[in-house]
Amino acid sequence: MPSNSAAELASASQDGSAAPAAGDRQTPGVKRKPLAAPGRQDRRVPKLSGSGLLLPLLAGVLFLALWELQVFHKLFDLKKYQLPLPSAIAEAMRDNFSLLLSYTGYTLTEAVLGMLAGSACGFLVALCATAWPRWGGGSLTLVAALNAVPIVALAPIMNLWFGDGIGSRVAIVTATTMAAMAINAYKGMAAVDPLALDLMHSYAASKRAVFRYLRIQNSLPYVFTALKINATASMIGAIVGEFFFSSRGLGYLLSNSIKVAKMPLGWSCIVLAAIAGVIFYLAVERLEKLFIKWHPSERA
Protein backbone atom coordinates (compact mmCIF):
# COMPACT_ATOMS: atom_id res chain seq x y z
CA MET A 1 0.00 0.00 0.00
CA PRO A 2 1.28 3.52 -0.62
CA SER A 3 0.90 4.47 3.06
CA ASN A 4 3.02 1.52 4.22
CA SER A 5 5.71 2.33 1.66
CA ALA A 6 5.85 5.90 2.87
CA ALA A 7 6.14 4.70 6.48
CA GLU A 8 8.93 2.32 5.61
CA LEU A 9 10.78 5.08 3.79
CA ALA A 10 10.36 7.41 6.74
CA SER A 11 11.58 4.73 9.18
CA ALA A 12 14.51 3.92 6.99
CA SER A 13 15.48 7.56 6.65
CA GLN A 14 15.45 7.92 10.45
CA ASP A 15 17.76 4.99 11.20
CA GLY A 16 19.90 5.54 8.12
CA SER A 17 19.23 2.20 6.42
CA ALA A 18 17.74 1.73 2.98
CA ALA A 19 14.13 0.63 2.83
CA PRO A 20 13.49 -2.65 1.05
CA ALA A 21 11.72 -2.39 -2.27
CA ALA A 22 8.30 -3.94 -2.71
CA GLY A 23 9.63 -6.68 -4.97
CA ASP A 24 12.47 -7.49 -2.52
CA ARG A 25 10.28 -8.67 0.35
CA GLN A 26 11.32 -12.15 1.41
CA THR A 27 8.70 -14.87 1.51
CA PRO A 28 8.63 -16.64 4.88
CA GLY A 29 10.30 -20.04 4.74
CA VAL A 30 12.15 -19.32 1.48
CA LYS A 31 15.89 -18.62 1.55
CA ARG A 32 17.02 -15.86 -0.74
CA LYS A 33 20.20 -16.12 -2.76
CA PRO A 34 22.72 -13.47 -1.62
CA LEU A 35 23.26 -10.64 -4.06
CA ALA A 36 26.66 -9.82 -5.50
CA ALA A 37 28.64 -7.14 -3.75
CA PRO A 38 28.19 -3.63 -5.13
CA GLY A 39 30.68 -2.77 -7.86
CA ARG A 40 31.54 -6.41 -8.40
CA GLN A 41 30.37 -8.00 -11.60
CA ASP A 42 29.05 -11.50 -11.79
CA ARG A 43 31.84 -13.26 -13.69
CA ARG A 44 30.14 -16.61 -13.97
CA VAL A 45 30.33 -17.97 -17.50
CA PRO A 46 27.41 -20.11 -18.62
CA LYS A 47 28.47 -23.69 -18.97
CA LEU A 48 28.26 -25.25 -22.39
CA SER A 49 25.36 -27.60 -22.62
CA GLY A 50 25.86 -30.88 -24.41
CA SER A 51 22.32 -30.72 -25.79
CA GLY A 52 23.42 -28.11 -28.33
CA LEU A 53 25.67 -30.65 -30.04
CA LEU A 54 23.94 -33.84 -28.99
CA LEU A 55 20.61 -33.19 -30.67
CA PRO A 56 22.04 -32.47 -34.16
CA LEU A 57 24.25 -35.57 -33.85
CA LEU A 58 21.29 -37.73 -32.90
CA ALA A 59 19.28 -36.29 -35.79
CA GLY A 60 22.13 -37.03 -38.20
CA VAL A 61 22.56 -40.60 -36.93
CA LEU A 62 18.80 -41.18 -37.18
CA PHE A 63 18.77 -39.81 -40.76
CA LEU A 64 21.65 -42.08 -41.81
CA ALA A 65 20.04 -45.10 -40.14
CA LEU A 66 16.75 -44.54 -41.97
CA TRP A 67 18.70 -44.09 -45.21
CA GLU A 68 20.70 -47.31 -44.65
CA LEU A 69 17.52 -49.24 -43.83
CA GLN A 70 16.09 -48.06 -47.20
CA VAL A 71 13.17 -46.23 -45.62
CA PHE A 72 13.55 -43.37 -48.12
CA HIS A 73 13.70 -45.86 -51.00
CA LYS A 74 10.32 -47.25 -49.98
CA LEU A 75 8.81 -43.81 -49.37
CA PHE A 76 9.87 -42.32 -52.73
CA ASP A 77 10.03 -45.56 -54.75
CA LEU A 78 13.75 -45.28 -55.45
CA LYS A 79 16.23 -47.97 -56.46
CA LYS A 80 19.69 -48.41 -55.02
CA TYR A 81 21.37 -47.16 -58.20
CA GLN A 82 19.29 -43.97 -57.93
CA LEU A 83 20.05 -43.39 -54.25
CA PRO A 84 23.11 -45.38 -53.09
CA LEU A 85 23.24 -46.49 -49.48
CA PRO A 86 25.58 -44.67 -47.07
CA SER A 87 27.64 -47.85 -46.70
CA ALA A 88 28.20 -47.95 -50.49
CA ILE A 89 29.19 -44.26 -50.51
CA ALA A 90 31.63 -44.83 -47.65
CA GLU A 91 33.13 -47.80 -49.50
CA ALA A 92 33.57 -45.69 -52.66
CA MET A 93 35.26 -42.97 -50.63
CA ARG A 94 37.62 -45.49 -49.07
CA ASP A 95 38.53 -47.07 -52.43
CA ASN A 96 39.16 -43.70 -54.15
CA PHE A 97 40.45 -41.71 -51.19
CA SER A 98 43.65 -40.36 -52.78
CA LEU A 99 41.88 -39.38 -56.01
CA LEU A 100 39.03 -37.67 -54.15
CA LEU A 101 41.44 -35.85 -51.86
CA SER A 102 43.46 -34.56 -54.83
CA TYR A 103 40.38 -33.39 -56.71
CA THR A 104 38.93 -31.75 -53.59
CA GLY A 105 42.12 -29.74 -53.17
CA TYR A 106 41.98 -28.69 -56.83
CA THR A 107 38.36 -27.52 -56.59
CA LEU A 108 39.01 -25.77 -53.29
CA THR A 109 41.96 -23.93 -54.85
CA GLU A 110 39.73 -22.67 -57.66
CA ALA A 111 37.09 -21.58 -55.14
CA VAL A 112 39.55 -19.74 -52.87
CA LEU A 113 41.35 -17.93 -55.70
CA GLY A 114 38.09 -16.96 -57.37
CA MET A 115 36.52 -15.78 -54.14
CA LEU A 116 39.53 -13.64 -53.24
CA ALA A 117 39.59 -12.06 -56.70
CA GLY A 118 35.83 -11.52 -56.80
CA SER A 119 35.71 -10.11 -53.27
CA ALA A 120 38.60 -7.73 -53.99
CA CYS A 121 36.90 -6.49 -57.18
CA GLY A 122 33.57 -6.11 -55.36
CA PHE A 123 35.21 -4.12 -52.56
CA LEU A 124 36.83 -1.77 -55.09
CA VAL A 125 33.45 -1.26 -56.77
CA ALA A 126 31.90 -0.39 -53.39
CA LEU A 127 34.78 1.98 -52.64
CA CYS A 128 34.31 3.82 -55.95
CA ALA A 129 30.53 3.93 -55.55
CA THR A 130 30.90 5.51 -52.09
CA ALA A 131 33.70 7.93 -52.97
CA TRP A 132 32.20 9.08 -56.27
CA PRO A 133 28.46 8.33 -56.07
CA ARG A 134 27.69 10.32 -59.20
CA TRP A 135 30.01 8.27 -61.42
CA GLY A 136 30.49 5.07 -59.44
CA GLY A 137 26.91 4.48 -58.33
CA GLY A 138 25.99 2.83 -61.61
CA SER A 139 28.73 0.22 -61.14
CA LEU A 140 26.63 -1.49 -58.47
CA THR A 141 23.89 -2.01 -61.03
CA LEU A 142 26.37 -3.45 -63.52
CA VAL A 143 27.73 -5.87 -60.92
CA ALA A 144 24.22 -6.95 -59.98
CA ALA A 145 23.46 -7.52 -63.67
CA LEU A 146 26.61 -9.64 -64.03
CA ASN A 147 25.56 -11.72 -61.03
CA ALA A 148 22.20 -12.40 -62.70
CA VAL A 149 23.91 -14.17 -65.63
CA PRO A 150 23.71 -17.96 -65.03
CA ILE A 151 26.92 -19.94 -64.67
CA VAL A 152 25.99 -22.17 -67.62
CA ALA A 153 26.17 -19.07 -69.82
CA LEU A 154 29.40 -17.78 -68.27
CA ALA A 155 31.28 -21.09 -68.53
CA PRO A 156 31.67 -21.21 -72.36
CA ILE A 157 32.61 -17.52 -72.48
CA MET A 158 35.24 -17.85 -69.77
CA ASN A 159 36.59 -20.97 -71.46
CA LEU A 160 37.08 -19.00 -74.68
CA TRP A 161 38.77 -16.15 -72.85
CA PHE A 162 41.00 -18.06 -70.39
CA GLY A 163 41.32 -21.53 -71.93
CA ASP A 164 40.38 -24.83 -70.33
CA GLY A 165 42.82 -24.51 -67.41
CA ILE A 166 42.18 -23.36 -63.87
CA GLY A 167 41.85 -19.74 -65.05
CA SER A 168 38.40 -20.20 -66.55
CA ARG A 169 36.91 -21.59 -63.31
CA VAL A 170 38.61 -18.88 -61.27
CA ALA A 171 37.05 -16.31 -63.60
CA ILE A 172 33.60 -17.90 -63.18
CA VAL A 173 33.89 -17.80 -59.38
CA THR A 174 35.16 -14.21 -59.58
CA ALA A 175 32.10 -13.14 -61.54
CA THR A 176 29.68 -14.94 -59.23
CA THR A 177 31.13 -13.61 -55.96
CA MET A 178 31.63 -9.98 -56.91
CA ALA A 179 28.08 -8.74 -56.37
CA ALA A 180 27.66 -9.95 -52.78
CA MET A 181 30.83 -8.16 -51.71
CA ALA A 182 30.07 -4.96 -53.64
CA ILE A 183 26.55 -4.58 -52.26
CA ASN A 184 27.43 -5.47 -48.67
CA ALA A 185 30.58 -3.33 -48.53
CA TYR A 186 28.76 -0.37 -50.03
CA LYS A 187 26.05 -0.73 -47.39
CA GLY A 188 28.66 -0.71 -44.63
CA MET A 189 30.48 2.33 -46.01
CA ALA A 190 27.29 4.32 -46.54
CA ALA A 191 25.56 3.49 -43.25
CA VAL A 192 27.93 5.35 -40.94
CA ASP A 193 26.86 7.16 -37.80
CA PRO A 194 25.95 10.77 -38.78
CA LEU A 195 27.31 12.07 -35.47
CA ALA A 196 30.67 10.38 -36.11
CA LEU A 197 30.73 11.83 -39.61
CA ASP A 198 29.96 15.31 -38.28
CA LEU A 199 32.72 14.92 -35.70
CA MET A 200 35.22 14.00 -38.41
CA HIS A 201 34.13 17.02 -40.46
CA SER A 202 34.42 19.30 -37.41
CA TYR A 203 38.05 18.18 -37.09
CA ALA A 204 38.54 19.07 -40.78
CA ALA A 205 39.36 15.45 -41.57
CA SER A 206 40.21 14.78 -45.18
CA LYS A 207 38.14 12.49 -47.36
CA ARG A 208 40.86 9.86 -47.18
CA ALA A 209 40.88 10.03 -43.37
CA VAL A 210 37.11 9.64 -43.24
CA PHE A 211 37.38 6.52 -45.38
CA ARG A 212 40.29 5.11 -43.43
CA TYR A 213 39.06 5.67 -39.89
CA LEU A 214 35.28 5.61 -40.29
CA ARG A 215 33.79 4.18 -43.47
CA ILE A 216 36.10 1.18 -44.00
CA GLN A 217 36.01 0.20 -40.34
CA ASN A 218 32.24 0.45 -40.32
CA SER A 219 32.05 -1.78 -43.40
CA LEU A 220 34.13 -4.64 -41.93
CA PRO A 221 31.16 -6.59 -40.41
CA TYR A 222 29.37 -6.31 -43.76
CA VAL A 223 32.52 -7.43 -45.58
CA PHE A 224 32.79 -10.59 -43.50
CA THR A 225 29.10 -11.30 -44.05
CA ALA A 226 29.77 -11.16 -47.79
CA LEU A 227 32.84 -13.39 -47.41
CA LYS A 228 30.77 -16.02 -45.59
CA ILE A 229 28.17 -15.92 -48.37
CA ASN A 230 30.91 -16.21 -51.00
CA ALA A 231 32.62 -19.10 -49.19
CA THR A 232 29.80 -21.47 -50.14
CA ALA A 233 28.86 -19.76 -53.41
CA SER A 234 32.44 -20.11 -54.67
CA MET A 235 32.34 -23.90 -54.24
CA ILE A 236 29.13 -24.02 -56.31
CA GLY A 237 30.69 -21.86 -59.04
CA ALA A 238 33.86 -23.95 -59.20
CA ILE A 239 32.02 -27.30 -59.35
CA VAL A 240 29.50 -26.15 -61.97
CA GLY A 241 32.33 -24.66 -64.04
CA GLU A 242 34.13 -28.02 -63.99
CA PHE A 243 31.04 -29.67 -65.43
CA PHE A 244 31.72 -28.08 -68.83
CA PHE A 245 35.46 -27.70 -69.42
CA SER A 246 37.83 -29.44 -67.05
CA SER A 247 39.95 -32.55 -66.70
CA ARG A 248 40.21 -32.42 -62.89
CA GLY A 249 38.15 -31.48 -59.87
CA LEU A 250 35.05 -32.71 -58.05
CA GLY A 251 32.69 -31.34 -60.71
CA TYR A 252 34.55 -33.22 -63.45
CA LEU A 253 34.57 -36.47 -61.44
CA LEU A 254 30.90 -36.07 -60.49
CA SER A 255 29.87 -35.51 -64.10
CA ASN A 256 31.84 -38.53 -65.34
CA SER A 257 30.58 -40.76 -62.51
CA ILE A 258 26.97 -40.04 -63.42
CA LYS A 259 27.68 -40.74 -67.10
CA VAL A 260 29.08 -44.22 -66.36
CA ALA A 261 26.49 -44.91 -63.61
CA LYS A 262 29.00 -44.94 -60.73
CA MET A 263 26.57 -43.29 -58.38
CA PRO A 264 28.38 -44.07 -55.09
CA LEU A 265 31.47 -42.29 -56.44
CA GLY A 266 29.31 -39.37 -57.58
CA TRP A 267 27.77 -39.09 -54.14
CA SER A 268 31.26 -39.21 -52.63
CA CYS A 269 32.04 -36.03 -54.60
CA ILE A 270 28.91 -34.39 -53.22
CA VAL A 271 29.82 -35.32 -49.64
CA LEU A 272 33.38 -34.01 -50.00
CA ALA A 273 32.18 -30.80 -51.65
CA ALA A 274 29.86 -30.20 -48.69
CA ILE A 275 32.65 -30.89 -46.19
CA ALA A 276 35.04 -28.56 -48.05
CA GLY A 277 32.38 -25.82 -48.15
CA VAL A 278 31.78 -26.10 -44.41
CA ILE A 279 35.53 -25.98 -43.66
CA PHE A 280 35.90 -22.92 -45.89
CA TYR A 281 32.97 -21.21 -44.16
CA LEU A 282 34.35 -21.97 -40.67
CA ALA A 283 37.76 -20.60 -41.68
CA VAL A 284 36.16 -17.30 -42.75
CA GLU A 285 34.12 -17.20 -39.55
CA ARG A 286 37.30 -17.71 -37.51
CA LEU A 287 38.97 -14.83 -39.34
CA GLU A 288 35.93 -12.68 -38.57
CA LYS A 289 36.26 -13.35 -34.85
CA LEU A 290 39.97 -12.53 -35.08
CA PHE A 291 39.77 -9.27 -37.05
CA ILE A 292 36.63 -7.63 -35.69
CA LYS A 293 36.61 -8.82 -32.10
CA TRP A 294 36.06 -5.17 -31.12
CA HIS A 295 32.60 -5.22 -32.73
CA PRO A 296 29.60 -5.60 -30.36
CA SER A 297 28.34 -8.62 -32.29
CA GLU A 298 31.57 -10.49 -31.48
CA ARG A 299 31.74 -9.38 -27.85
CA ALA A 300 28.26 -10.62 -26.99
Side-chain angles (χ1 to χ4, degrees), residues 232-258:
T232 51
S234 61
M235 285 298 296
I236 298 173
I239 289 175
V240 175
E242 289 168 353
F243 271 24
F244 299 95
F245 305 100
S246 181
S247 57
R248 294 183 65 188
L250 290 177
Y252 163 76
L253 187 59
L254 175 60
S255 175
N256 281 357
S257 301
I258 294 174

Side-chain angles (χ1 to χ4, degrees), residues 173-237:
V173 177
T174 300
T176 54
T177 56
M178 196 185 304
M181 175 57 72
I183 295 170
N184 277 279
Y186 175 76
K187 179 71 175 176
M189 291 182 194
V192 295
D193 187 357
L195 295 178
L197 194 59
D198 290 343
L199 182 63
M200 296 285 289
H201 289 161
S202 67
Y203 287 152
S206 64
K207 193 172 183 178
R208 178 177 295 182
V210 171
F211 265 89
R212 181 178 177 183
Y213 297 109
L214 183 60
R215 293 192 186 277
I216 291 180
Q217 287 204 10
N218 192 67
S219 71
L220 288 181
Y222 297 86
V223 167
F224 276 100
T225 300
L227 287 176
K228 286 190 282 188
I229 295 171
N230 288 340
T232 51
S234 61
M235 285 298 296
I236 298 173

